[in-house]
Amino acid sequence: MVKNLIKAPLLAIFFAALLFVAGEFIPYSEEYLAAAAESGFSAGLFGAVCLLGFALFIAAVMAAGYAGAEKAGIKTALSLSVPLIGAAWAVPAAQSLLYPENAGVHSRGDAVISGGFYIACTVLAVVLFLINYKTKAPPEDTAPVNPKIPKPREPIITYKLNAVQLIVKVVVSPLIFTVLFLFSWYFLFWSVDAVRAFYGGTEENLKFLGTMATVFQEMDWMVMLALVQGLAYTLLSLPLLFLFKAKRVLYIVLTVLMYLTGVVWMYVPSPLMPDPVRLWGCIHMAALLIVYGTLMALLLSMCFTKNVELPPEEPKPVKKGRRPAAPANSEPDVLPGVSAKNAAGVVSNTISGKI
């Protein structure tokens, strides 16, 4: 893993450059460009540092993922890149894709076009990760082989999937996400005065139950969006589950880090969201995804049962050229006192008629 992390900064610089160039050439809608010009937005040096930090975060997460994988290949690359692309670009854009009327000036077209540009940059970065990062190599057996000492039997470890448990947990996951989302949204986001003022909410901070009643009556789209996002996050964690079914801790950590990629991108300055609103949005989503990612990854990992079996013992080889020893109570082949030479003479005399 250390070798991969050493390469991560250089790969992150290349990835950040791709994202910067893509951001300059994305054909945003006229409404989006007008809103950006009206705000007088300028990312400046801070924006460049945040962009580089986002690229470095992804490069480090992928470095840890490849270091924990048993072998490289298309299967490993897809298992790591699909959750990355989905959590970084697809799920955060769900509001603009499903409910563009509630997404402000960031229209559905803006979400599709910008997402396509950034996904293309991420795919190029994934190719670089696949080429440069190393997987966990199996240890080499350098011990001298002694033919007189039998090799120890290594246990055979298999993992059995309980499909019913997996399906039930996937189906229930959107409900868990929605409940956690509403609590996080209210206590860590909507209760902030600057946030309510930005979104045109009431100056008075209503109590939790009153706010939830308003959400279900007038903002039911937000509940539906939370259900969709919860299911999407769970499905995105399944490739990691099958890749790291033997490494529960690594699977949980990587799942949470993959979920947080979209939050890190959200912290990059935007012309459509003031800094305080963006900061509290990051805090609210980070707390939500850390709790939800840890909980769901733990529950999903329990769908696999570990079985350990010893292989059957190999039969001992019989040495050729030696007659097996006779049992202690067996009868002798010849009478006592009769040698092989005397026995041959007796047989010869019998045949010749002398006896």
Side-chain angles (χ1 to χ4, degrees):
M1 181 174 177
V2 175
K3 294 181 180 180
N4 289 351
L5 291 177
I6 293 175
K7 300 176 183 178
L10 184 60
L11 298 177
I13 292 174
F14 179 81
F15 184 31
L18 287 177
L19 295 173
F20 178 80
V21 173
E24 294 294 323
F25 289 95
I26 294 177
Y28 287 106
S29 63
E30 294 182 359
E31 294 182 0
Y32 183 94
L33 295 176
E38 183 179 354
S39 64
F41 172 77
S42 177
L45 180 60
F46 180 72
V49 172
C50 292
L51 188 64
L52 180 59
F54 169 76
L56 183 59
F57 181 81
I58 287 186
V61 172
M62 294 295 284
Y66 274 102
E70 296 296 334
K71 57 182 179 179
I74 300 300
K75 179 181 178 181
T76 300
L78 290 176
S79 299
L80 292 172
S81 59
V82 169
L84 169 66
I85 293 174
W89 309 116
V91 180
Q95 180 175 346
S96 298
L97 295 175
L98 300 178
Y99 302 99
E101 64 278 4
N102 298 308
V105 297
H106 195 260
S107 64
R108 180 179 296 165
D110 292 329
V112 172
I113 294 175
S114 61
F117 271 74
Y118 290 135
I119 288 175
C121 295
T122 307
V123 171
L124 293 177
V126 166
V127 174
L128 288 178
F129 298 150
L130 177 62
I131 295 174
N132 290 277
Y133 286 156
K134 302 299 181 182
T135 56
K136 183 180 179 181
E140 298 182 358
D141 189 5
T142 58
V145 178
N146 189 344
K148 296 183 179 180
I149 302 177
K151 296 180 66 176
R153 292 185 298 163
E154 297 182 356
I156 300 175
I157 301 176
T158 58
Y159 292 87
K160 183 179 180 181
L161 173 65
N162 190 324
V164 176
Q165 280 191 26
L166 181 64
I167 294 174
V168 170
K169 291 174 181 178
V170 170
V171 172
V172 175
S173 64
L175 299 176
I176 299 175
F177 182 87
T178 302
V179 172
L180 294 175
F181 170 81
L182 292 176
F183 275 92
S184 174
W185 173 81
Y186 175 79
F187 289 103
L188 297 179
F189 190 67
W190 193 247
S191 59
V192 179
D193 295 338
V195 172
R196 292 198 310 276
F198 176 76
Y199 286 101
T202 59
E203 296 182 359
E204 181 184 0
N205 185 11
L206 300 177
K207 300 299 181 180
F208 177 76
L209 294 180
T211 303
M212 291 300 104
T214 303
V215 168
F216 281 94
Q217 292 176 1
E218 303 176 4
M219 304 170 63
D220 55 335
W221 64 268
M222 192 167 68
V223 178
M224 296 301 299
L225 179 63
L227 292 171
V228 172
Q229 289 180 329
L231 180 60
Y233 277 122
T234 302
L235 294 178
L236 289 173
S237 64
L238 293 183
L240 294 175
L241 173 65
F242 288 93
L243 183 62
F244 298 110
K245 56 180 176 291
K247 302 176 180 179
R248 177 176 295 180
V249 175
L250 179 61
Y251 166 63
I252 295 174
V253 172
L254 282 178
T255 298
V256 174
L257 293 178
M258 289 288 186
Y259 285 0
L260 291 177
T261 53
V263 178
V264 179
W265 174 256
M266 183 180 177
Y267 191 71
V268 178
S270 169
L272 305 180
M273 189 176 294
D275 291 344
V277 178
R278 191 181 72 255
L279 175 61
W280 283 104
C282 291
I283 294 174
H284 141 62
M285 287 303 300
L288 167 65
L289 293 177
I290 289 174
V291 174
Y292 178 75
T294 303
L295 176 62
M296 285 310 305
L298 179 61
L299 293 176
L300 291 176
S301 65
M302 293 179 179
C303 295
F304 278 98
T305 303
K306 182 179 179 181
N307 299 320
V308 181
E309 298 179 356
L310 288 176
E313 293 186 2
E314 297 181 357
K316 296 181 179 180
V318 179
K319 296 183 179 180
K320 297 181 179 180
R322 288 188 179 183
R323 185 179 178 181
N329 57 352
S330 62
E331 296 292 335
D333 293 339
V334 295
L335 295 174
V338 180
S339 64
K341 184 176 180 181
N342 294 337
V346 170
V347 173
S348 177
N349 293 334
T350 303
I351 295 174
S352 63
K354 293 181 180 181
I355 299 178

